[in-house]
Amino acid sequence: MKVLVVGGGGREHTLVWKLARSPRVDEVYAAPGNAGIASIGTCVPVAADDKQALLDFAREKEIDLTVVGPEAPLVAGIVELFRSKNRRIFGFDSRGALLEGSKIWAKQFMKRHGIPTGGFDIFDGYCAAESFVAEHEPPFVIKADGLAAGKGVMICSTLAEARAAVGAAMKDRAFGEAGSRIIVEEFLRGPEISVLALFDGKDYRLFVPSQDHKRAFDGDLGPNTGGMGAYAPVSLYTGEAAERIRTEIIEPTFEGMRAEGIAGAGVLYFGIMMTGDGPKVLEYNCRFGDPETQVILPLFGGDLFEAIWAATEGRLGTVRFENSAAAAACVVVASGGYPGPYTSGYEITGIDRAREKGCIVFHAGTTMDGGVLKTAGGRVLGVTGLGTTLQEALEAAYAGIDEIAFTDCFSRRDIGRKGLR
């Protein structure tokens, strides 16, 4: 079988790594891929958002299965295009992708189907939004409605921060058209859990729960990022908590998707906060999380290709789906300045030494330049450690991190600390 993975980040490197392990997979391509992916499969110089060029490539190479990594192609309708030409593709259609592509649509979906989430107000104009925050007590969570590469969520502790956030989104257009509408949400308190589910339109299967670290710096300080690290499993997801998440959130969501005719087999990411009033949905993502994928797939004991193939045929319930009882931790190595402006093109050293420490090193923003591995993004690498316990996994990950270097690099040093507590 020939597989095409759309995208070129750490999530896609992990998908390629896992898919290539299937005995049914002969060739793996990635578009556009990265330097790490190139050591496993074939990178194709096609942008992840060029859906027509991706379709042309899939036809030319007679690709058997296309797996979409990032959210933007799903929102843009790549699934509908491929299906119209009878090409097998894994991912939700554009209506399903609205669960991530429009924060407003997602909140309204939750309200329609009685899924617990924080209170919210929707604004189409700057003046109304600015007046609202001025008349209410902080803290606020302010979200751009559309896609903003994981950076469109602003947690505002003061009125000044809230006004600045509203202005950045709606006046300065810091997130482009994504910020033309915003949501001002209730600020929820409690630990977060990421639950990823494979869904085939009828049945679902859950990967091991994980916990992401969104803020740039230790102690959950600094701006929101696409994710600075993750670990799995999460001890909070047991017993009554797991049952409430299943019955109050996961199953009502899939029932709502079926009721609204949302088509496609894909992965739905549930970002959940365990509040004093029980679990509540913070957000949906319509694809594998990043960096959660870098911990959940190393702990997945089944054949990912088989599971995805079965899901595209509506028979997910027939395949083996197992999660390891071990632990995994991923720490992101980022470029200085991320998630703001940063400089690329620096030589990266130490990856082989990190692997010798037992780590799996997933590339995110890397490129080969004249035979030299160099940085090419804000999040550059994800270093994953495994162990029988979370402590062992974290020690392995940080042993690898300590071997890797490039100019102006940084990592959080407290990934997984909450899990140890």
Side-chain angles (χ1 to χ4, degrees):
M1 292 284 191
K2 296 179 182 178
V3 178
L4 169 64
V5 174
V6 177
R11 165 186 48 226
E12 288 76 30
H13 187 182
T14 314
L15 286 167
V16 169
W17 171 81
K18 192 67 173 179
L19 288 164
R21 294 177 166 229
S22 171
R24 292 190 63 193
V25 174
D26 301 305
E27 298 177 66
V28 184
Y29 297 87
N34 60 41
I37 292 173
S39 67
I40 306 171
T42 302
C43 293
V44 183
V46 177
D49 59 357
D50 191 342
K51 59 185 182 182
Q52 184 60 53
L54 291 166
L55 175 63
D56 293 342
F57 178 81
R59 284 168 152 175
E60 176 192 342
K61 292 293 183 180
E62 298 182 331
I63 298 296
D64 297 291
L65 172 67
T66 297
V67 178
V68 183
E71 61 276 14
L74 296 171
V75 172
I78 188 173
V79 169
E80 290 93 322
L81 176 63
F82 269 57
R83 285 182 167 177
S84 73
K85 305 302 181 183
N86 297 313
R87 307 303 312 188
R88 188 182 297 255
I89 188 167
F90 177 74
F92 293 118
D93 66 9
S94 58
R95 284 193 71 243
L98 278 175
L99 287 168
E100 179 172 4
S102 170
K103 301 296 186 293
I104 291 172
W105 195 89
K107 280 286 194 178
Q108 292 170 333
F109 173 91
M110 290 181 234
K111 187 174 181 179
R112 285 195 298 275
H113 297 286
I115 297 160
T117 188
F120 64 97
D121 291 89
I122 298 167
F123 298 95
D124 298 314
Y126 167 76
C127 291
E130 201 276 339
S131 296
F132 178 87
V133 298
E135 293 166 4
H136 292 79
E137 287 293 321
F140 304 102
V141 179
I142 296 174
K143 295 182 179 179
D145 176 48
L147 297 178
K151 305 179 187 74
V153 178
M154 297 157 283
I155 299 171
C156 306
S157 301
T158 67
L159 177 58
E161 289 177 352
R163 282 175 161 158
V166 171
M170 305 195 85
K171 288 181 71 176
D172 302 336
R173 293 300 172 95
F175 311 111
E177 280 304 305
S180 60
R181 304 176 78 198
I182 67 168
I183 290 183
V184 180
E185 286 189 15
E186 174 189 5
F187 180 81
L188 300 177
R189 300 180 189 274
E192 294 183 34
I193 300 176
S194 302
V195 180
L196 277 72
L198 205 61
F199 182 57
D200 70 356
K202 298 182 300 183
D203 295 321
Y204 70 91
R205 295 291 183 271
L206 301 179
F207 292 99
V208 63
S210 58
Q211 188 173 80
D212 188 14
H213 297 65
K214 287 290 188 188
R215 296 294 192 101
F217 308 127
D218 286 10
D220 290 328
L221 300 176
N224 263 13
T225 71
M228 294 298 295
Y231 70 91
V234 181
S235 60
L236 290 167
Y237 191 84
T238 56
E240 181 185 353
E243 180 66 9
R244 289 192 67 178
I245 289 171
R246 182 182 68 82
T247 59
E248 297 176 18
I249 292 174
I250 294 172
E251 292 184 353
T253 294
F254 290 137
E255 288 168 8
M257 291 173 69
R258 285 190 289 263
E260 299 202 14
I262 290 173
V267 166
L268 192 65
Y269 167 121
F270 298 82
I272 298 167
M273 180 162 280
M274 303 301 297
T275 75
D277 296 325
K280 295 186 178 183
V281 176
L282 294 173
E283 64 174 353
Y284 294 117
N285 290 165
C286 60
R287 38 68 188 181
F288 281 98
D290 189 351
E292 290 94 342
T293 303
Q294 289 88 305
V295 293
I296 66 170
L297 288 190
L299 295 177
F300 177 60
D303 184 320
L304 184 65
F305 174 83
E306 288 282 6
I308 288 176
W309 187 273
T312 64
E313 296 183 339
R315 54 178 186 86
L316 180 60
T318 68
V319 299
R320 183 173 71 92
F321 201 96
E322 297 178 358
N323 294 309
S324 167
C330 176
V331 181
V332 169
V333 190
S335 298
Y338 175 78
Y342 56 84
T343 301
S344 290
Y346 295 123
E347 181 179 357
I348 304 167
T349 62
I351 288 180
D352 288 341
R353 293 193 299 275
R355 291 195 182 110
E356 290 170 3
K357 299 282 188 180
C359 294
I360 312 169
V361 180
F362 294 115
H363 292 231
T366 65
T367 189
M368 293 298 294
D369 181 7
V372 177
L373 181 66
K374 293 186 176 180
T375 64
R379 291 187 295 176
V380 177
L381 301 167
V383 180
T384 297
L386 302 174
T388 57
T389 65
L390 177 57
Q391 181 69 51
E392 289 180 2
L394 287 166
E395 288 174 357
Y398 278 110
I401 286 286
D402 290 341
E403 298 294 338
I404 292 171
F406 55 85
T407 299
D408 208 21
C409 67
F410 79 99
S411 300
R412 280 184 59 162
R413 302 299 300 191
D414 65 346
I415 300 301
R417 192 172 293 169
K418 296 173 185 175
L420 296 177
R421 291 200 296 265

